[in-house]
Amino acid sequence: MEDFNGWLSFPFHESLNHDLAIRRFCPARVEQEQEGEWEEILNEIEFSSPSETTSPPCLPASEVDDFVDSFINMDHCRDDDIQSLEKPQSFDYYDQDGMETFSMVDDMYGDVLMMMEGDDMEMGGLAEDFGVGETNMVPSVEEVSHGVDQGLHLVHMLLACAEAVGCRDTKLAESLLSQIWVSVSPWGDSLQRVSSCFAMGLKSRLSLLHNVNINGTFNNDTMDVSLTSREEKLEAFQLLNQTTPYIAFGFMVANEAICQAAQGKENLHIIDLGMEHTLQWPSLIRTLASRPEGPPKKLRITGLVEDHNVFELEAGMKALVEEASSLGIPTEFNMISEPVKPSLLTRENLDLREGEALFVNSIMHLHKYVKESRGSLKAILQALKKLGPTVLTLVEQDANHNGPFFLGRFLESLHFYSAIFDSLEASLPRNSPQRMKIERQHFANEIRNIVAFEGLNRIERHERADQWRRQLGRAGYQVMGLKCTSQARMMLSVYGCDGYTLASEKGCLLLGWKGRPIMLASAWQVHNASSS
């Protein structure tokens, strides 16, 4: 606990956070640190997996060095696959396509979280202990240097532990994990907080390694039992929507695409895949009510709901129907409590009617059907195509969290979620209960699923924009040009946080943080109908 107490003895004022330390970091020092004890630890790991026909790839020391360098120096993060998301040097910036890009500046949870007594914990005392609110403290060179060393130490331990877990060296992994726990904190800086979530995921995966099949594969009977209730998940999602642009961005682009494609159409029917809430629809209804040609004569929204506990959803639908009626739009809500599957997606099951313009809406849902074989997603996309939708809206996390090897997924997801936690650090104070709920009840669940599970239990299979473009293209869709760049710019300006970036890539809008793509939003039309 000595090292952990050393962390807590730091004044946790904003000017002393880890991000300031890493901005002062010298690349030459990275090389010096990388020649030390952590290189020895990584070199000692034995890469043997006799139970697998193909061994997972080893992580060369040079790759670890490059990853740590890019991870620590967040301001210089870039994605070579998406040149248009490089961090702009000024507010007015144009990418190669000519589009404006702008910058706003329980046991599973481990022993650390057992210190937290639910959501009613007293954060005031913690704030005083951490020095939050002290505005006159300036970090010394020694403190900045120590913060950098701590950050490098923590990242190296996470990578070494993930590599040991990937090679099923449980003894080494558990030893490293015990050291990680004393350096992470769910209420520390952004690096400590995201590392806490990944440590929880590694702990879960270690526990599952004891139940692998005789051929070395994970046992699919070991279900992913969520540690968060449906109500807690919904609350965290609502808070994320209120405090960051990630969710609101997807809602706005999807709604604008629907309105764009609905021009001149009087009867609209929206199929919402995996509906869990009604947060998206008030804005759409108000926009439709103010159309120059007048509101539509009828609006129907059919939610495909996988959770049978839909009492709150029904209440939200009732309120929306009343609001729509007051705006002159007769609205009908329906729910179908079945998982999305090709056999459900028929005109009869969805009650499609003549004269209706059909819209299919997917907000961070279709990635759950991206399996190793890809067959599930392809069948769903083809079934949707047969329905003849006017447009399919797709909003997803823009990340590669579905690679064939665990270590590659771990590296990608650590980079991805570190950017998100860094943006939360810039938006919310560390003692914010809202921030704690967003991180613990939303992102921690995603991270745990990506890190801990395999097979059918791993549903957070996020893909990059290029992969979605290939999948939709093969299924007979083509991208629809979006005309909501100015609306997106206005939306981001409301948050008043420097660091968000917006770019266009081959018809998709991409929202990022400091050049790291986070969310993609797009609209698609059936290829043979789009030309008309």
Side-chain angles (χ1 to χ4, degrees):
M1 292 295 292
E2 184 176 351
D3 292 337
F4 185 62
N5 291 332
W7 265 107
L8 295 185
S9 66
F10 274 29
F12 271 54
H13 176 252
E14 182 180 0
S15 63
L16 252 184
N17 64 22
H18 182 73
D19 297 328
L20 177 63
I22 62 182
R23 292 189 186 101
R24 299 278 294 276
F25 190 76
C26 174
R29 280 196 56 210
V30 180
E31 299 177 359
Q32 297 173 3
E33 293 291 334
Q34 289 158 354
E35 294 173 358
E37 58 177 325
W38 289 109
E39 186 174 38
E40 296 177 5
I41 291 178
L42 288 173
N43 290 335
E44 290 174 0
I45 297 177
E46 296 182 2
F47 300 104
S48 59
S49 183
S51 60
E52 296 181 347
T53 55
T54 58
S55 299
C58 304
L59 192 64
S62 60
E63 186 173 338
V64 175
D65 297 348
D66 293 341
F67 175 77
V68 172
D69 186 35
S70 62
F71 176 82
I72 292 296
N73 294 280
M74 287 291 296
D75 282 345
H76 304 294
C77 172
R78 59 172 293 180
D79 192 317
D80 294 334
D81 294 332
I82 302 182
Q83 298 294 337
S84 60
L85 263 177
E86 293 181 10
K87 186 179 178 183
Q89 299 300 316
S90 62
F91 187 87
D92 295 315
Y93 174 82
Y94 292 84
D95 66 9
Q96 295 176 353
D97 296 329
M99 176 182 172
E100 184 176 3
T101 305
F102 53 92
S103 172
M104 311 291 171
V105 181
D106 139 51
D107 183 56
M108 284 291 191
Y109 272 74
D111 298 334
V112 176
L113 285 181
M114 291 178 66
M115 301 167 62
M116 306 169 64
E117 300 295 333
D119 293 326
D120 296 328
M121 59 183 292
E122 292 293 328
M123 299 299 295
L126 291 172
E128 294 176 1
D129 293 340
F130 292 161
V132 175
E134 300 179 23
T135 58
N136 296 321
M137 304 193 70
V138 178
S140 66
V141 174
E142 291 78 9
E143 289 169 334
V144 169
S145 176
H146 186 61
V148 172
D149 294 341
Q150 290 277 13
L152 277 176
H153 183 77
L154 180 55
V155 172
H156 272 291
M157 279 196 295
L158 283 170
L159 297 183
C161 185
E163 197 158 17
V165 169
C167 298
R168 303 188 180 183
D169 188 342
T170 57
K171 184 177 180 180
L172 177 59
E174 288 171 354
S175 174
L176 289 167
L177 192 58
S178 67
Q179 299 176 57
I180 290 171
W181 282 124
V182 299
S183 297
V184 300
S185 170
W187 53 79
D189 62 26
S190 59
L191 178 57
Q192 291 175 303
R193 295 164 90 113
V194 74
S195 297
S196 176
C197 294
F198 276 90
M200 287 185 274
L202 289 170
K203 182 174 182 176
S204 295
R205 190 175 181 94
L206 274 173
S207 68
L208 293 175
L209 281 178
H210 298 294
N211 298 312
V212 295
N213 295 322
I214 200 161
N215 62 355
T217 61
F218 273 54
N219 183 0
N220 287 332
D221 293 333
T222 307
M223 296 303 294
D224 180 7
V225 179
S226 176
L227 305 176
T228 307
S229 67
R230 181 184 181 277
E231 291 73 19
E232 289 174 328
K233 290 180 181 178
L234 180 58
E235 180 187 15
F237 188 86
Q238 291 172 331
L239 290 171
L240 181 64
N241 180 45
Q242 294 167 5
T243 58
T244 74
Y246 297 125
I247 306 301
F249 164 76
F251 288 164
M252 185 275 297
V253 175
N255 287 346
E256 288 296 324
I258 291 173
C259 290
Q260 180 180 328
Q263 291 179 5
K265 297 177 172 62
E266 297 183 339
N267 295 292
L268 314 180
H269 186 185
I270 300 172
I271 304 294
D272 192 10
L273 305 181
M275 176 184 279
E276 297 180 351
H277 50 76
T278 59
L279 299 174
Q280 179 178 353
W281 306 123
S283 174
L284 176 70
I285 289 173
R286 289 191 289 270
T287 302
L288 290 174
S290 61
R291 291 196 311 182
E293 69 267 35
K297 293 182 178 179
K298 182 69 177 291
L299 171 64
R300 290 206 299 146
I301 300 179
T302 299
L304 306 188
V305 183
E306 298 190 2
D307 193 329
H308 294 278
N309 185 14
V310 293
F311 177 77
E312 293 183 4
L313 193 54
E314 290 176 338
M317 288 180 171
K318 183 178 179 181
L320 274 179
V321 169
E322 294 175 355
E323 180 180 358
S325 178
S326 67
L327 294 174
I329 304 178
T331 301
E332 176 186 332
F333 263 110
N334 296 290
M335 287 190 300
I336 300 177
S337 296
E338 291 186 36
V340 176
K341 51 188 178 182
S343 60
L344 175 65
L345 303 175
T346 66
R347 300 186 65 87
E348 295 75 19
N349 291 337
L350 300 176
D351 189 24
L352 303 190
R353 302 169 188 175
E354 292 295 328
E356 286 183 335
L358 179 65
F359 303 86
V360 179
N361 184 70
S362 175
I363 305 294
M364 297 183 295
H365 187 74
L366 280 178
H367 71 263
K368 297 179 180 180
Y369 302 94
V370 179
K371 308 301 182 185
E372 287 93 340
S373 66
R374 311 275 178 183
S376 179
L377 176 63
K378 181 179 179 181
I380 288 173
L381 291 175
Q382 290 177 340
L384 290 172
K385 178 186 174 184
K386 292 179 181 178
L387 302 177
T390 301
V391 71
L392 163 66
T393 56
L394 177 75
V395 176
E396 288 288 349
Q397 297 93 329
D398 187 45
N400 180 17
H401 296 158
N402 195 39
F405 296 110
F406 164 73
L407 187 57
R409 293 200 309 272
F410 187 91
L411 290 171
E412 173 71 18
S413 57
L414 180 58
H415 230 154
F416 178 81
Y417 286 101
S418 295
I420 293 178
F421 276 59
D422 187 54
S423 70
L424 294 174
E425 177 89 350
S427 304
L428 296 168
R430 292 178 185 170
N431 64 339
S432 164
Q434 292 83 5
R435 179 178 173 185
M436 191 73 69
K437 290 178 180 179
I438 291 170
E439 293 172 345
R440 288 176 57 202
Q441 297 168 196
H442 182 77
F443 288 121
N445 288 326
E446 286 188 4
I447 292 170
R448 177 172 175 261
N449 187 266
I450 294 169
V451 172
F453 292 94
E454 295 293 347
L456 297 176
N457 292 326
R458 182 159 61 86
I459 62 174
E460 300 298 342
R461 296 172 175 268
H462 309 139
E463 297 276 13
R464 302 300 304 273
D466 284 343
Q467 185 61 38
W468 283 110
R469 193 176 294 108
R470 284 191 288 269
Q471 292 286 344
L472 287 157
R474 291 168 184 166
Y477 296 83
Q478 70 177 21
V479 70
M480 183 185 85
L482 297 170
K483 302 177 181 179
C484 53
T485 308
S486 59
Q487 292 94 321
R489 179 170 62 247
M490 292 175 61
M491 184 202 72
L492 287 186
S493 67
V494 171
Y495 291 87
C497 181
D498 186 25
Y500 292 114
T501 52
L502 183 73
S504 174
E505 187 210 356
K506 299 178 182 178
C508 299
L509 280 180
L510 298 169
L511 173 63
W513 174 256
K514 294 182 179 178
R516 176 79 184 185
I518 303 296
M519 300 295 299
L520 71 91
S522 57
W524 302 81
Q525 294 174 316
V526 176
H527 188 275
N528 58 13
S530 59
S531 59
S532 61

